[in-house]
C-alpha cells in the first residue's frame, strides 16, 4: 500500500549537500535549496501533511513542484 505522504524535501536537500560538499558545485546546490524554499514559501505554500493554511500535496506532486522551481 503506497500512501504518498513522505516529504521529499530532506532527500532533495541531501542532493544539494552532495553537489556542494562532494562535487564542489555551489551554484547547483543553491539552485536546489532555492527551489525547495520556493515550494515551501507562501508563493506555492505546499506541504505533504495537512497543515492549516497550506495546500496539501502528495510525495510525487511535491517533488514535481520543487523540480518546476529549478527549471
Amino acid at each position: 500500500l503506497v500512501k504518498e505522504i513522505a516529504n521529499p524535501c530532506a532527500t532533495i536537500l541531501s542532493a544539494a549537500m552532495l553537489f556542494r560538499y562532494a562535487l564542489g558545485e555551489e551554484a547547483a546546490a543553491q539552485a536546489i535549496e532555492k527551489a525547495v524554499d520556493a515550494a515551501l514559501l507562501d508563493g506555492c505554500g505546499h506541504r505533504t501533511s495537512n497543515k492549516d493554511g497550506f495546500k496539501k500535496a502528495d510525495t510525487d506532486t511535491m517533488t514535481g513542484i520543487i523540480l518546476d522551481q529549478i527549471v
Side-chain angles (χ1 to χ4, degrees):
L1 177 66
V2 177
K3 294 183 179 182
E4 285 291 327
I5 58 174
N7 185 339
C9 293
T11 301
I12 293 169
L13 288 170
S14 70
M17 291 175 59
L18 170 79
F19 277 102
R20 177 174 286 121
Y21 298 112
L23 303 175
E25 295 289 337
E26 183 64 27
Q30 287 182 10
I32 293 168
E33 291 165 345
K34 286 179 184 177
V36 171
D37 286 346
L40 296 175
L41 291 174
D42 290 339
C44 297
H46 288 86
R47 298 287 189 276
T48 53
S49 62
N50 196 9
K51 303 253 185 196
D52 288 339
F54 296 102
K55 302 171 201 159
K56 183 159 174 43
D58 62 23
T59 304
D60 287 339
T61 301
M62 189 69 180
T63 301
I65 291 166
I66 294 168
L67 290 174
D68 288 345
Q69 297 299 316
I70 292 174
V71 177

